[in-house]
Amino acid sequence: KKEKFMKVNYFSRIGFILAVSGSAIGLGNIWKFPYMVGEMGGSAFVLVYLLTVALIGISLLIAEMVIGNYSRSDSITSFEKISRNNKTAWKFVGFSSFSGLLILTFYSVVIGWIFYYIIKSLTQNLSVSLTTSEEMFSGFLQNDILSQMFFHLISVLLICAIVYKGIKKGIETTNLLMMPLLFIIFLGLLFYSISLPTFGKAWHFLFDYDFAKIDSNTLLMAVGHSFFTLSIGMGAILTYSASSAKETNIFKDAVLVAFLDTAIALIAGLVIFTFLFGFTDKAAKGPGLVFISLPTAFAAMGAMGTLIAIFFFIALSFAAITSAISILEPSIKIATERYKIGRKKAIMIFGAIVYIIGLMALLSNSKDFSQILTFGSKNLFDWLDYLTTAILLPIGGIAISIFLGYFVPKEVLRNQLSRSMSTKVFDIWYFSIKFIAPIGVIFILLNESGLLG
Ligand code: PHE
């Protein structure tokens, strides 16, 4: 009976690694990372990002994995279960999982855009001209509300359908299929870029460090992004780890996932900038990089470009879908296991919430509704991204590190991690969780709130 339970509810070893990588590798790597590098002047940003992934990111990845693997529960119950003296107030950290619903709102809108671009590539509708390309993107966002609503609806329905099928049949199967294809497509794109003359230029853009360019803003953005890209701070990794085999090698898996996540971000950066430098003369910066500039490069490549565009947007959709399901699952696990709500009902309730707020985020980009959906300096879409990435995820991360560093007996953690870490590595990790991660993140938040001037 137990065996059957495990078959239905637990990840296989490779399934777990691909699911966690699938969560980590997403819009953050392929859509956000390249445009942030572009905006922050290239290599300086890359350097800080790599350092934060190594110093804080991996530690927090391990932290979420160890909590989930140990408690084997939904995120709220996890914090309750393993806190010292059962201080149940910690369960409130678990509520951070619901910030996933907010991430999913704008995430599902962007997935809708990607579907639209897959169709545009298939029908060879990408343009060489930057002006036309820009018109296509902004026309879609600002005026073509109905098409956008259609693709957004498909996106939300697909995400809900996969999560509805559960850990094994839904989430694991999707990752087993999509992640290897994603890796193959990106390796193919990388090899093709290497053969192009502008590859060297892209390489220098990403890797020639200019320390003078590192200012506090670069630091801030890079640290925030390292949380987002590694899926840290809302219990996504924790929730997946609750369904991993008890004997999972946490340290090895965390390092592998961080490596794969970074590799895909760097490969995406190299590929995109090789194409941009080679086939366009003026690159649109910002969120439009992948949807405005890159399509002009594809169009300029001729027939080969059409093929590459199709593969690129399909791979991007895979990356985003495998992340999106990991953003929804924590809330569903809480609803079904802690509050005993049926899976179908839970999906319908949370799916509806995500759909409605997502719809408003979508409308906030449109001409007709932007005015009533803009608050202060940002519209709703940008607020949702900012609120979650810059504020909620870092707060979740900090809570997790303080929890493990100060409210869970060290011996318990040492026991849990002894299988995968030597004492020395454990001590380094523990130091990072107790001091580096909280101090680093508090610094970022203070800086963001403007208190540091
Ligand atoms: N890591 C995902 C990305 O890079 C986003 C994500 C954030 C997923 C938080 C889960 C939790 O796109």
Side-chain angles (χ1 to χ4, degrees):
K1 207 172 152 203
K2 189 173 169 227
E3 218 161 80
K4 187 162 168 243
F5 177 82
M6 288 189 43
K7 264 214 183 97
V8 184
N9 293 294
Y10 284 0
F11 287 116
S12 67
R13 186 169 152 62
I14 178 77
F16 177 65
I17 292 176
L18 287 182
V20 178
S21 312
S23 171
I25 298 168
L27 294 175
N29 307 58
I30 306 170
W31 173 57
K32 273 190 175 179
F33 177 73
Y35 83 70
M36 290 179 96
V37 175
E39 273 175 358
M40 310 279 155
S43 53
F45 175 82
V46 179
L47 180 67
V48 181
Y49 157 78
L50 289 177
L51 283 177
T52 23
V53 167
L55 288 178
I56 304 181
I58 295 181
S59 298
L60 280 167
L61 208 52
I62 295 172
E64 281 206 25
M65 282 185 179
V66 80
I67 297 175
N69 186 272
Y70 180 42
S71 75
R72 323 209 63 72
S73 312
D74 64 84
S75 42
I76 296 179
T77 310
S78 292
F79 286 98
E80 204 171 51
K81 244 187 185 171
I82 67 178
S83 67
R84 202 201 305 258
N85 324 325
N86 292 322
K87 280 231 168 53
T88 52
W90 278 102
K91 69 170 180 246
F92 289 107
V93 178
F95 282 92
S96 66
S97 284
F98 294 119
S99 56
L101 298 177
L102 293 181
I103 301 181
L104 201 53
T105 58
F106 70 88
Y107 219 89
S108 60
V109 171
V110 179
I111 293 177
W113 300 350
I114 301 170
F115 288 162
Y116 177 76
Y117 271 78
I118 292 178
I119 308 275
K120 287 279 162 190
S121 315
L122 281 169
T123 51
Q124 307 204 8
N125 263 320
L126 304 179
S127 166
V128 231
S129 139
L130 195 62
T131 327
T132 318
S133 191
E134 194 151 6
E135 274 163 9
M136 182 172 122
F137 184 63
S138 54
F140 180 55
L141 260 62
Q142 291 173 3
N143 303 320
D144 200 355
I145 296 177
L146 280 182
S147 314
Q148 227 195 134
M149 279 175 64
F150 171 76
F151 288 107
H152 175 236
L153 182 64
I154 306 247
S155 145
V156 175
L157 288 178
L158 181 66
I159 295 161
C160 289
I162 297 171
V163 175
Y164 173 65
K165 293 212 150 213
I167 285 285
K168 208 61 194 176
K169 269 202 198 138
I171 295 174
E172 181 170 286
T173 312
T174 304
N175 279 290
L176 285 177
L177 173 79
M178 291 185 176
M179 292 312 287
L181 286 171
L182 168 84
F183 292 136
I184 293 172
I185 293 175
F186 267 89
L187 282 179
L189 289 173
L190 177 67
F191 285 121
Y192 179 62
S193 323
I194 291 176
S195 75
L196 297 173
T198 44
F199 183 77
K201 201 170 158 193
W203 181 273
H204 289 297
F205 183 64
L206 289 184
F207 297 118
D208 283 350
Y209 298 121
D210 178 359
F211 289 98
K213 280 197 183 138
I214 302 176
D215 56 17
S216 74
N217 189 44
T218 311
L219 210 74
L220 199 99
M221 301 301 284
V223 181
H225 182 65
S226 71
F227 275 65
F228 186 83
T229 190
L230 289 175
S231 308
I232 288 165
M234 56 138 289
I237 305 294
L238 186 162
T239 299
Y240 274 3
S241 303
S243 301
S244 67
K246 197 81 191 130
E247 54 282 346
T248 301
N249 188 320
I250 292 177
F251 181 60
K252 213 162 135 191
D253 287 3
V255 172
L256 180 62
V257 168
F259 169 79
L260 289 173
D261 185 67
T262 308
I264 291 294
L266 294 178
I267 292 175
L270 282 171
V271 166
I272 289 171
F273 286 110
T274 302
F275 292 167
L276 288 180
F277 291 148
F279 297 94
T280 61
D281 37 51
K282 233 178 76 209
K285 281 187 179 167
L289 186 80
V290 159
F291 295 106
I292 299 171
S293 309
L294 195 61
T296 67
F298 291 144
M301 289 176 190
M304 180 73 181
T306 305
L307 206 64
I308 292 183
I310 295 168
F311 279 123
F312 176 85
F313 285 115
I314 288 180
L316 182 56
S317 77
F318 286 178
I321 290 165
T322 51
S323 297
I325 55 183
S326 80
I327 301 174
L328 181 57
E329 172 65 14
S331 301
I332 301 299
K333 194 173 170 78
I334 291 170
T336 53
E337 292 182 12
R338 190 178 166 97
Y339 297 109
K340 309 281 178 247
I341 299 173
R343 199 163 179 92
K344 195 169 187 177
K345 196 168 162 196
I347 300 257
M348 294 210 313
I349 294 170
F350 290 139
I353 294 174
V354 167
Y355 176 73
I356 291 168
I357 304 178
L359 185 61
M360 294 201 292
L362 176 163
L363 291 175
S364 77
N365 284 323
S366 74
K367 258 214 176 74
D368 293 345
F369 297 91
S370 72
Q371 207 147 38
I372 46 169
L373 291 168
T374 297
F375 311 97
S377 56
K378 293 179 180 41
N379 66 14
L380 183 66
F381 183 95
D382 294 336
W383 271 118
L384 287 164
D385 185 2
Y386 177 78
L387 179 73
T388 51
T389 311
I391 298 172
L392 294 179
L393 291 185
I395 289 180
I398 214 174
I400 289 168
S401 62
I402 291 178
F403 175 69
L404 284 191
Y406 300 89
F407 294 89
V408 174
K410 187 174 178 183
E411 275 323 298
V412 170
L413 295 172
R414 200 200 297 278
N415 263 337
Q416 289 303 312
L417 288 165
S418 63
R419 217 178 320 105
S420 66
M421 283 174 169
S422 66
T423 324
K424 214 179 193 156
V425 177
F426 175 83
D427 285 339
I428 297 174
W429 172 76
Y430 196 68
F431 181 81
S432 155
I433 282 297
K434 222 176 154 104
F435 302 108
I436 303 180
I439 292 171
V441 181
I442 285 175
F443 170 75
I444 301 162
L445 286 175
L446 286 180
N447 210 341
E448 239 152 35
S449 66
L451 288 178
L452 298 184

